[in-house]
Each structure stands twice: as structure tokens, then as C-alpha cells.
Amino acid sequence: MKSDKKVMLTEKEMPAEWYNILPDLPEQLPPPINPATGKPLSPQDLQPIFPMGLIQQEVSQERWIPIPDKVLEVYKIWRPTPLVRAHELEKYLSTPARIYYKNESVSPAGSHKPNTAVAQAYYNKIEGVTRLTTETGAGQWGSALAFACNIFGLKCTIYMVKVSYQQKPFRKSLMHAWGADVYPSPTNLTNAGRKVLAEDPNSPGSLGIAISEAVEDAATHEDTKYSLGSVLNHVLLHQTIIGLETKKQLELIGEKPDVMIGCVGGGSNFGGFVLPFIAEKLKGKIDTKFLAVEPTACPSLTKGLYLYDHGDTVGLTPLLKMYTLGHKFVPPRIHAGGLRYHGDAPIICYLVHKKVIDAVAYPQKAVFEAAVTFARTEGFLPAPETAHAIKAAIDEAVRCKETKQEKCIVFNFSGHGHFDMAAYDQYFEGKLEDFEYSEEEIKKSLEEIKKFQVNQ
Ligand SMILES: *Cc1c(COP(=O)(O)O)cnc(C)c1O
């Protein structure tokens, strides 16, 4: 019932297949380009860093992909996750809108990220891989992969963005608890890291730099593969478990979403949440508004250009067609570390380009204010990343009050903020800064990538 606090699914009702949107897009997604040849990437190009199972999923045209039993078994540690009605927040805002949130913070790592980490560790394990490398920003992805590797008996090496390593030491401890090795990036362990340190010994690091290091480590070691926590098609595929559950839960209470909202770093929690609904919108069955929320400090969807760019900073990875701020762009040190990425998932960018998805950006202080409002009404303290979605949901609900519209607003609660208390401390002490993007810096950064555009 709509008046219930939580909508729960049983384990039996948990979806047993992931949804792949690729065959349902109106056109083929612009393919990744091999920077060495300027030609579309072949599956073989990816073999040094990814297992075949995931490469196949990356390009699959199958609409439904079965979730392996082993993965379903692990998912059951925390899935299905609740869909919760935010009654108290509605009352506080005196809005006629109904607000729901999908709570992905209930996983062992505290975010949506284990949905793909578990799947990726599984496909690597069955192909004989013994170690995974990765990057992590705020530490959520690192902890998710550490958790997943531990379950499947894989070693795990994590390059953690230095500013987060310093701001969030407890995430590092969590990764250690699950047995991973963690290094502050840029490190002296890779050519990519040494190159950045030579230019700027005090580099705070960025996701892009850390990706370069993790890819190099995997590409130069046998039996080691690389694992990416966002951006790629197979990651969004695994995350569709979120949207598929949400769909069932909304149907159970007779709701149709008018607005669906998620924060976007690389686009995986938002993509997983909305893609099953976007399928319906593309068929003309629903008229939901999809809203992607990003920080003004790293505004790729709202201020970037839709171009081919590298996924990493050094330029090792394939070129992806995406809204980008340029791969050399190093965003200011906002606390939503998971949203400090220069690009976004090609699937999300394509849909933004086609105006199926809208995007909006918010500054840091307004986002923390929304986070605290949520904690004081609904109880859960969100991750700063998640708070971007909350801010947008609140703004949407306030507009409903002005227009007297009884909209159904659903957002994805991507993670909890229990490892972000230093950031909250700063907010409560009035020390939090608002970083605007620097027009000048973005312009410079974009000029560089325009230089190597391929004709597509
Ligand atoms: C990593 C992370 C994000 C951003 O990553 P996406 O791939 O855009 O989902 C958002 N929220 C939380 C809690 C995260 O851990």
C-alpha cells in the first residue's frame, strides 16, 4: 500500500536476470575507439585487462542476461533492498508529492557498488584470474571490490585517490578488513603515477590518475585483471538489479514514477536505477522525467562536450564518446569523491544527448544542507554523493507544492555517509566551501581533447 513505510520483495521475487538496454536503443551506441589505431575497439584489445565473460557483456545484444546462481546467492546477503516512502520528509516540506527512495546503502560496503563488484569478481574467478586491480575515489568502490574478492578468494590491489586516502582513512581500514592492499594514488609503483608526481609532487590525485595506475598494473602482470566500478556497459548492466526491483516494488503499490532521480559520478547507480524504466519510455509507454544530478565542481553533463575522450588521465584507456570535461581536468577537492570524474557512462551520455535524460548540477553546501534535512526527517545519513540526488528530489517536491501537483518522485539512495563524518564535521563547523567549476580551466582542458577527435 502507498501508506506503508517500506515495500519489500521476498528473495524469491528478486530478479534473476539483468536488463541490457543496448538492443533497445534507437541507434547503435558509438563504439569505444582504440587510441592507437583510431578504429573501433575489438574484443581482443580488451583481453589483457578484462575477462571474456565481461567483454561479451560489454557488447552483448541480448536483452536479458541471466544472473549466475553464485552471484544471486551473494546478492541475498543484502538484497532485495527496500523501497521506502519518505513520509516525514514530505511532511517537513508540506508537499503534495509522494517521495520514495530505493535504499542501496544496506549492502556490506554501504553502497550500490557490490552489485557489480560481486558479478565482476565471479566472472574473473571462473576464468582463472587470481588478482584484481582497481582505483577508488571516496573508497566505496575499493571496499565493494575488496568485499567481493574476499568472497571469491581473489587478491585485490587498490589505488586510492590520495585526497580521499587522507580524508577517509576508515574506508582504507574497511578494505584491509576484507584483505585488500591499498595505496594512495599517484604512487611511485607505476609509470603513470611517477609521471604525474614528476609534474606535481603534491597532486591530490583523481579518479582518472588512479585508473591509469590500476590499468597499467593489470596490463603488465599475468593472472591479474582490472576492474572498473562505473562507466562501462557491463557495470550499468549489473546495476539494473536496482531498477528491476524498484519496478516490481512500485507495481506492488500501484505507483508510476513521474520523476526518477539519481546522482551521477560515472553513471552506474543512476543507470542501474533508471534503465529498465527508460526502456518503457523509449517504447512510449511511460512519460517519466529522468534527472541525473552532478556537482557544480565537476559538471560533465551540464558543462562538458559530447566528444570522444580517454577514460583515464594519462591516455592509456580507449576513447569513449561521452560528455567530458577533458581527461586532464582535475576537479576541486569536494567531499563527494565518487562524483569527481571528468566523464560519464557512454549509455547515459547518449541518452542525455538524445534528451531522454535531463541533468542538473548543485554546489556542495546546498547538498549537505539537503543531507542533514534528510537525516533529521528520515533518519538515514546519506553519503555526500547520494545527497545530490536528495537535493534534487527536495527541489522537485518543493516545486510540486508551488504547482499543487501530486507527483510521484523516486530517487536512488546510493549509499550511507558513515565514513564521511569528517566532511559533516566541516559542514557543521561552517567550514565547508562551495567550489564552482573554473570556466577557464574547462575551456583549456576541452581544447586539448578537440585535437584528437576521430570522425564518427
Ligand atoms: C561511487 C558512488 C557514486 C557514484 O558512482 P556512480 O557510478 O555514478 O553511481 C554515488 N554514490 C555512492 C554512494 C557511491 O559510492
Side-chain angles (χ1 to χ4, degrees):
M1 287 209 313
K2 286 178 194 176
S3 58
D4 284 352
K5 185 63 185 166
K6 293 194 300 302
V7 187
M8 308 293 279
L9 297 175
T10 63
E11 289 183 5
K12 272 210 191 77
E13 291 170 309
M14 193 164 87
E17 294 168 311
W18 291 300
Y19 168 65
N20 175 19
I21 198 162
L22 293 184
D24 288 335
L25 292 178
E27 303 158 80
Q28 247 198 328
L29 198 66
I33 299 287
N34 183 333
T37 62
K39 298 226 168 71
L41 211 63
S42 72
Q44 286 83 341
D45 292 336
L46 290 173
Q47 262 178 321
I49 56 168
F50 292 124
M52 251 354 256
L54 295 176
I55 295 172
Q56 278 160 4
Q57 290 183 353
E58 190 62 22
V59 297
S60 173
Q61 288 292 320
E62 294 292 321
R63 184 169 293 123
W64 297 101
I65 297 186
I67 305 176
D69 286 344
K70 273 258 186 255
V71 174
L72 280 174
E73 205 179 288
V74 180
Y75 275 180
K76 283 178 191 167
I77 295 175
W78 73 96
R79 305 207 72 86
T81 65
L83 180 76
V84 189
R85 174 91 184 258
H87 282 120
E88 298 309 312
L89 179 63
E90 291 169 17
K91 272 186 227 156
Y92 173 82
L93 300 172
S94 0
T95 175
R98 297 178 304 286
I99 308 174
Y100 297 88
Y101 63 95
K102 177 71 168 162
N103 191 354
E104 288 295 309
S105 77
V106 297
S107 75
S111 78
H112 64 287
K113 292 204 170 74
N115 295 333
T116 186
V118 169
Q120 292 191 42
Y122 169 80
Y123 287 106
N124 276 286
K125 178 69 182 184
I126 59 172
E127 290 184 34
V129 174
T130 61
R131 181 171 72 105
L132 288 180
T133 67
T134 197
E135 74 292 335
T136 192
Q140 284 110 325
W141 171 240
S143 21
L145 194 68
F147 159 73
C149 283
N150 176 61
I151 285 180
F152 290 104
L154 296 168
K155 280 189 244 161
C156 187
T157 304
I158 296 164
Y159 295 87
M160 183 170 185
V161 176
K162 196 191 280 166
V163 54
S164 301
Y165 187 93
Q166 291 159 347
Q167 282 177 351
K168 298 174 184 184
F170 298 128
R171 276 274 167 202
K172 181 183 58 186
S173 304
L174 188 58
M175 293 178 244
H176 284 155
W178 282 312
D181 294 318
V182 190
Y183 303 103
S185 164
T187 72
N188 271 315
L189 302 169
T190 65
N191 287 329
R194 284 187 290 269
K195 197 169 150 196
V196 174
L197 287 174
E199 280 171 24
D200 177 11
N202 295 318
S203 165
S206 71
L207 273 180
I209 296 168
I211 292 173
S212 302
E213 294 207 86
V215 169
E216 183 184 324
D217 184 345
T220 53
H221 291 91
E222 288 274 333
D223 298 340
T224 298
K225 300 272 187 213
Y226 165 68
S227 178
L228 190 60
S230 189
V231 179
L232 296 180
N233 300 345
H234 68 268
V235 180
L236 273 63
L237 171 80
H238 301 151
Q239 293 295 354
T240 58
I241 184 90
I242 304 173
L244 293 167
E245 283 183 6
T246 304
K247 211 153 164 264
K248 284 194 172 187
Q249 286 163 313
L250 288 171
E251 278 163 16
L252 275 177
I253 53 169
E255 283 280 25
K256 278 212 170 83
D258 294 300
V259 191
M260 292 185 78
I261 302 171
C263 64
V264 172
S268 75
N269 87 85
F270 177 71
F273 181 53
V274 302
L275 291 180
F277 293 84
I278 285 183
E280 310 269 287
K281 181 158 178 176
L282 291 173
K283 288 185 213 140
K285 284 193 187 161
I286 54 169
D287 191 30
T288 306
K289 168 177 164 178
F290 302 103
L291 187 58
V293 192
E294 59 183 14
T296 50
C298 192
S300 40
L301 293 175
T302 50
K303 300 285 176 187
L305 294 178
Y306 189 50
L307 294 171
Y308 272 100
D309 193 12
H310 289 288
D312 67 331
T313 299
V314 175
L316 271 174
T317 66
L319 299 165
L320 301 172
K321 181 115 182 219
M322 56 186 181
Y323 281 96
T324 176
L325 298 166
H327 63 275
K328 296 264 170 73
F329 181 76
V330 180
R333 303 177 192 206
I334 52 165
H335 288 284
L339 307 186
R340 290 176 76 247
Y341 182 59
H342 65 271
D344 279 310
I347 290 178
I348 300 300
C349 293
Y350 171 82
L351 291 165
V352 169
H353 184 63
K354 292 285 167 192
K355 304 200 176 354
V356 178
I357 292 173
D358 293 334
V360 64
Y362 285 109
Q364 182 159 253
K365 267 192 268 183
V367 162
F368 271 80
E369 196 186 324
V372 173
T373 297
F374 191 80
R376 288 180 184 172
T377 50
E378 292 299 318
F380 289 105
L381 186 75
E385 291 85 353
T386 309
H388 286 73
I390 297 175
K391 169 65 179 156
I394 289 177
D395 278 8
E396 202 67 50
V398 168
R399 270 195 295 279
C400 285
K401 182 178 171 183
E402 288 155 9
T403 58
K404 300 196 168 56
Q405 280 177 298
E406 296 180 15
K407 284 189 187 172
C408 171
I409 301 169
V410 192
F411 71 88
N412 193 38
F413 192 92
S414 57
H416 68 63
H418 297 181
F419 288 96
D420 300 279
M421 298 320 295
Y424 278 99
D425 268 354
Q426 282 190 17
Y427 172 73
F428 290 126
E429 287 165 18
K431 288 187 192 151
L432 212 61
E433 282 177 74
D434 268 345
F435 295 99
E436 287 302 315
Y437 65 94
S438 146
E439 241 3 295
E440 208 34 40
E441 215 170 298
I442 290 177
K443 221 169 114 192
K444 218 172 69 197
S445 169
L446 287 174
E447 283 310 316
E448 278 217 23
I449 56 166
K450 280 188 198 156
K451 281 185 211 151
F452 62 74
Q453 282 315 294
V454 275
N455 289 328
Q456 276 296 319

